[in-house]
């Protein structure tokens, strides 16, 4: 895999020297222009040698709320004080450390939760050529329900599937049992799409031919999302077992865990867990003497939010630019190398061993208020205890913020929430009945907002796929709580900038439209927008939604459209009166 070879070169030299690219071209018989085509696409690769100290400050959602703009300015001033071109300070897209915001990298080593003085000390050490090491994280087992082994890698689901068939159910019957358990559980994809897991596994199982694959999408790059990171750190054996289980049930013989390169410690943890599974005989060419085999390895992503899109991920694995494919065909029919492929995210796969061994009802009955199942949620932003929590579907916003995350930070009240990172846009603390007028939200409003009331307390909202959809929003893995000190116009600009920065550029509506959204909001926060008419936004959002190939372009306008829908007074203050109620914009 050329992408992995390029990553090895980048790791050794800090960039991709021309001599190394020419040697790689010769040894792999790959034209040099093809290597440049790939290397120039991914943000992790550098084609020229950088400064002595390369500092990247995360600029997205949680870090933006917790002081990243001020930190970046302070570090730029520090670099200027040092002088010369020794230190470069730039912004970078979400690093997946939202619970330790603001996060930074120094020469590709990640740090989070540090003061400005501590970061300056790390920079000085790098300038002095002193070794700096990636910050290490807690791996303590937390007793989560998802782990039926209580931290002990027993691999009971694999043992039950491939054990002796004499006098017992056949292999096909045992495969049926796993599929049936997933169906009873109603386990859906936890990466955001929510596709039924049993259908995906069974579809690949039904495809002819011996060559099939299982791919884990561990490239969580959505701002505010870091729950897969915690699952890998604390329960890697569940992910490994889920991958093997998917392979044995579907007939796939090879699996890859596609993980973002910023997750340095998580990559180490996964490689250790795979090696341990091989030692235990539950992974490899002859699993527990059954004659069944499944090989598993880690594939390190060369970077880019777009790689979270499943077909873009496959393109990267096939040594191409990570540009999403047209669908159909879907990966279950034609995925990696044109073969049937299961693609699930980390959390989805981690739930499967417990469901296979305990039963689908065990997972299904974990929900509350009529919802089914459990989930992991990453909560960050203006809360006291940001982190990852195992919660039931159907939990209310109040229970999540005040029961799990310790409430709002300082003296702030809740102003807004983002239930799916930037992709769903925002919901206000008080949801106005008058804006709930769609075919789906109008009946919900009639059933949940008493006669005579004009607003709904968002703290009472049930966090499940149906209810959040009923209020015309999305429920994802990221939950960002936005406090009363924030400016929603400024925050919407931060979100659309993320999508502009991360667009792969393949679709013209996405490439051009995301830039237009940034230009429009920039003009508003700088007091340059010439009038108060924003009807062009709805037209732009519709065009992007209908014509973009992948989800990025389809949802990139949501931060702006939900700002217009739920925060009209704040938008009007900026547009008409050139005033920022939060005192964030119009600063000289």
């Amino acid at each position: 895999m050329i992408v992995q070879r390029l990553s090895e070169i980048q790791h050794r030299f800090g960039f991709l020297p021309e001599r190394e690219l020419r040697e790689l071209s010769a040894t792999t018989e790959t034209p040099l222009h093809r290597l440049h085509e790939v290397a120039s696409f991914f943000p992790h690769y550098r084609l020229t040698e950088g400064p002595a100290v390369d500092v990247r400050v995360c600029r997205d959602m949680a870090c933006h709320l917790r002081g990243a703009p001020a930190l970046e300015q302070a570090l730029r001033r520090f670099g200027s004080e040092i002088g010369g071109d020794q230190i470069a300070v730039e912004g970078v897209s979400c690093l997946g450390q939202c619970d330790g915001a603001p996060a930074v990298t120094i020469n590709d080593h990640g740090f989070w939760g540090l003061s400005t003085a501590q970061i300056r000390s790390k920079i000085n050490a790098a300038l002095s050529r002193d070794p700096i090491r990636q910050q290490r994280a807690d791996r303590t087992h937390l007793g989560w329900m998802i782990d039926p082994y209580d931290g002990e890698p027993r691999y009971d689901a694999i043992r039950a599937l491939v054990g002796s068939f004499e006098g017992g159910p056949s292999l096909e019957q045992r495969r049926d049992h796993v599929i049936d358990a997933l169906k009873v559980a109603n386990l859906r994809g936890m990466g955001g799409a929510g596709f039924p897991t049993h259908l995906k596994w069974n579809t690949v199982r039904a495809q002819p031919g011996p060559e099939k694959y299982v791919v884990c999408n561990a490239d969580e790059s959505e701002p505010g999302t870091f729950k897969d990171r915690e699952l890998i750190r604390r329960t890697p054996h569940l992910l490994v077992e889920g991958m093997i289980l998917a392979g044995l049930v579907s007939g796939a013989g090879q699996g890859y865990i596609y993980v973002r390169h910023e997750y340095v410690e998580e990559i180490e943890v996964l490689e250790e867990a795979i090696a341990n599974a091989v030692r235990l005989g539950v992974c490899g060419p002859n699993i527990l003497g059954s004659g069944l085999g499944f090989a598993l390895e880690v594939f390190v992503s060369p970077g880019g939010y777009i790689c979270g899109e499943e077909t873009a991920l496959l393109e990267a694995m096939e040594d191409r630019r990570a540009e999403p494919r047209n669908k159909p065909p879907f990966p279950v029919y034609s995925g990696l190398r044109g073969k049937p492929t299961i693609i699930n995210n980390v959390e989805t796969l981690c739930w499967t061993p417990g469901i296979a061994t305990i039963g689908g009802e065990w997972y299904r009955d974990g929900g509350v208020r009529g919802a089914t199942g459990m989930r992991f949620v990453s909560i960050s932003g203006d809360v006291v205890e940001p982190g990852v929590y195992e919660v039931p579907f159907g939990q209310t916003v109040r229970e999540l913020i005040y029961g799990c995350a310790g409430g709002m930070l300082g003296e702030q009240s809740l102003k807004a929430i983002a239930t799916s990172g930037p992709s769903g846009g925002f919901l206000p603390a008080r949801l106005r009945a008058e804006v709930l007028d769609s075919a789906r939200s109008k009946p919900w409003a009639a059933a949940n907002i008493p006669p005579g009331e004009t607003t709904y307390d968002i703290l009472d909202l049930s966090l499940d796929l149906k209810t959040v959809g009923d209020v015309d929003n999305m429920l994802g893995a990221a939950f960002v709580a936005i406090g009363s000190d924030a400016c929603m116009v400024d925050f919407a600009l931060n979100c659309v900038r993320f999508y502009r920065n991360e667009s792969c550029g393949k679709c013209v509506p996405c490439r051009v439209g995301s830039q237009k959204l940034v230009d429009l909001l920039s003009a508003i926060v700088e007091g340059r927008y010439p009038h108060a008419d924003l009807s062009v936004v709805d037209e732009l959002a519709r065009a992007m939604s209908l014509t973009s190939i992948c989800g990025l372009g389809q949802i990139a306008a949501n931060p702006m459209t939900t700002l217009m829908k739920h925060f009209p007074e704040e938008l009007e203050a900026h547009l008409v009166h050139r005033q920022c109620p939060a005192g964030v914009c119009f600063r000289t």
Side-chain angles (χ1 to χ4, degrees):
M1 294 181 176
I2 291 172
V3 163
Q4 300 296 65
R5 296 286 296 276
L6 290 173
S7 295
E8 291 168 7
I9 296 170
Q10 172 91 12
H11 180 72
R12 276 191 287 133
F13 297 97
F15 72 111
L16 301 176
E18 183 180 352
R19 66 180 184 280
E20 295 293 328
L21 291 178
R22 290 188 179 279
E23 183 178 338
L24 179 60
S25 173
T27 56
T28 62
E29 298 183 351
T30 304
L32 189 60
H33 72 83
R34 279 276 295 116
L35 297 183
H36 276 276
E37 177 186 311
V38 174
S40 63
F41 180 86
F42 295 103
H44 180 50
Y45 298 141
R46 304 183 186 94
L47 292 172
T48 57
E49 189 169 8
V53 183
D54 180 68
V55 182
R56 307 290 176 98
V57 180
C58 178
R59 58 194 166 202
D60 296 316
M61 293 197 93
C63 289
H64 186 75
L65 286 172
R66 301 296 284 267
L71 174 62
E72 184 175 346
Q73 290 178 8
L75 295 180
R76 286 182 187 275
R77 287 194 298 270
F78 177 59
S80 298
E81 293 168 9
I82 298 297
D85 298 323
Q86 299 179 80
I87 301 174
V89 180
E90 298 179 15
V92 68
S93 290
C94 185
L95 295 171
Q97 304 294 342
C98 315
D99 49 341
V104 302
T105 63
I106 302 172
N107 290 349
D108 291 330
H109 298 287
F111 301 95
W112 54 91
L114 302 183
S115 67
T116 303
Q118 289 173 314
I119 296 171
R120 286 174 57 147
S121 176
K122 298 284 185 186
I123 293 173
N124 280 327
L127 276 173
S128 301
R129 298 291 193 268
D130 293 337
I132 59 171
R133 294 182 176 85
Q134 177 87 14
Q135 187 168 336
R136 311 303 285 183
D138 180 25
R139 299 190 194 177
T140 305
H141 179 67
L142 298 179
W144 286 329
M145 171 185 156
I146 196 172
D147 189 358
Y149 309 136
D150 198 29
E152 178 82 23
R154 295 206 307 266
Y155 294 97
D156 289 351
I158 303 301
R159 297 180 190 279
L161 185 64
V162 304
S164 174
F165 304 141
E166 188 174 342
S170 67
L171 175 61
E172 289 306 310
Q173 289 172 324
R174 296 182 194 195
R175 285 171 167 162
D176 288 338
H177 169 78
V178 174
I179 295 293
D180 290 344
L182 294 173
K183 186 175 182 179
V184 169
N186 193 28
L187 178 68
R188 293 176 174 269
M190 297 294 188
F195 192 82
T197 304
H198 75 276
L199 284 178
K200 188 174 286 188
W201 287 25
N202 215 26
T203 301
V204 172
R205 178 188 177 191
Q207 300 311 302
E211 190 177 352
K212 303 174 184 179
Y213 296 97
V214 180
V215 175
C216 172
N217 185 347
D219 192 61
E220 59 174 357
S221 303
E222 186 86 26
T225 309
F226 48 96
K227 48 95 176 178
D228 286 350
R229 181 203 75 196
E230 287 297 295
L231 284 165
I232 293 172
R233 283 180 184 172
R234 302 177 192 275
T235 60
H237 54 284
L238 294 182
L239 176 54
V240 170
E241 184 169 24
M243 290 286 291
I244 300 168
L245 191 65
L248 293 177
V249 168
S250 66
Q254 175 73 54
Y256 298 96
I257 301 174
Y258 186 103
V259 60
R260 59 183 303 180
H261 67 86
E262 294 93 343
Y263 283 0
V264 175
E265 187 173 4
E266 289 70 33
I267 293 168
E268 296 172 2
V269 169
L270 285 171
E271 290 175 341
E272 291 170 6
I274 293 170
N276 185 56
V278 172
R279 284 193 297 271
L280 293 173
V282 296
C283 183
N286 184 23
I287 295 174
L288 299 175
S290 66
L292 300 171
F294 186 80
L296 181 58
E297 62 184 87
V298 174
F299 186 101
V300 179
S301 170
Y305 169 77
I306 196 63
C307 291
E309 199 280 334
E310 61 182 12
T311 62
L313 175 154
L314 296 176
E315 289 290 293
M317 294 183 70
E318 295 180 11
D319 295 324
R320 290 189 287 270
R321 298 163 69 90
E323 296 176 341
R325 301 173 181 175
N326 289 313
K327 300 177 189 176
F330 294 94
V332 289
Y333 302 106
S334 178
L336 183 62
R337 304 177 186 125
K339 303 300 179 181
T341 304
I342 292 172
I343 304 177
N344 283 133
N345 87 316
V346 172
E347 184 185 350
T348 308
L349 289 159
C350 284
W351 280 112
T352 61
I355 291 171
T357 54
I358 304 173
E361 298 84 357
W362 163 80
Y363 174 80
R364 181 196 65 196
D365 296 343
V368 296
R369 298 182 180 89
T372 61
M374 301 282 292
R375 71 184 185 115
F376 282 79
V377 60
S378 317
I379 180 169
S380 62
D382 294 322
V383 292
V384 175
E385 298 178 14
V388 173
Y389 298 93
E390 184 183 50
V391 301
F393 275 105
Q395 178 195 49
T396 65
V397 174
R398 177 179 284 103
E399 290 167 341
L400 177 59
I401 291 178
Y402 292 94
C404 294
M408 296 301 294
L409 192 66
E411 301 298 319
Q412 295 191 78
S413 59
L414 181 66
K415 187 173 192 175
I417 59 174
T419 59
S420 186
S423 61
F426 318 115
L427 290 171
R430 301 295 307 188
L431 189 57
R432 293 179 297 132
E434 65 186 63
V435 302
L436 298 172
D437 56 3
S438 71
R440 185 167 180 177
S441 63
K442 193 170 183 178
W444 181 90
N448 290 275
I449 302 178
E453 295 289 333
T454 59
T455 63
Y456 175 85
D457 190 344
I458 206 68
L459 291 174
D460 295 327
L461 186 71
S462 174
L463 293 171
D464 61 80
L465 293 169
K466 180 182 184 303
T467 304
V468 176
D470 284 345
V471 296
D472 296 329
N473 210 274
M474 300 163 57
L475 182 65
F479 185 102
V480 181
I482 304 161
S484 50
D485 291 347
C487 169
M488 294 308 300
V489 182
D490 169 71
F491 202 56
L493 173 58
N494 175 265
C495 292
V496 297
R497 274 179 176 155
F498 170 78
Y499 287 123
R500 185 274 311 273
N501 295 338
E502 294 299 320
S503 172
C504 74
K506 182 176 182 178
C507 305
V508 174
C510 176
R511 182 177 71 243
V512 176
S514 59
Q515 180 63 57
K516 284 186 175 295
L517 288 168
V518 171
D519 292 343
L520 188 152
L521 272 166
S522 296
I524 292 174
V525 300
E526 294 167 9
R528 296 184 289 102
Y529 199 72
H531 50 79
D533 182 15
L534 293 175
S535 58
V536 66
V537 174
D538 290 325
E539 298 174 17
L540 180 59
R542 179 173 172 78
M544 293 174 69
S545 175
L546 292 175
T547 57
S548 297
I549 290 176
C550 82
L552 189 156
Q554 294 164 13
I555 52 83
N558 284 351
M560 183 60 185
T561 57
T562 54
L563 172 71
M564 295 164 56
K565 181 177 183 179
H566 296 300
F567 301 91
E569 296 85 1
E570 195 161 337
L571 192 53
E572 182 182 4
H574 286 74
L575 278 168
V576 178
H577 306 293
R578 299 296 192 264
Q579 294 176 352
C580 177
V584 174
C585 308
F586 309 115
R587 292 177 177 174
T588 56

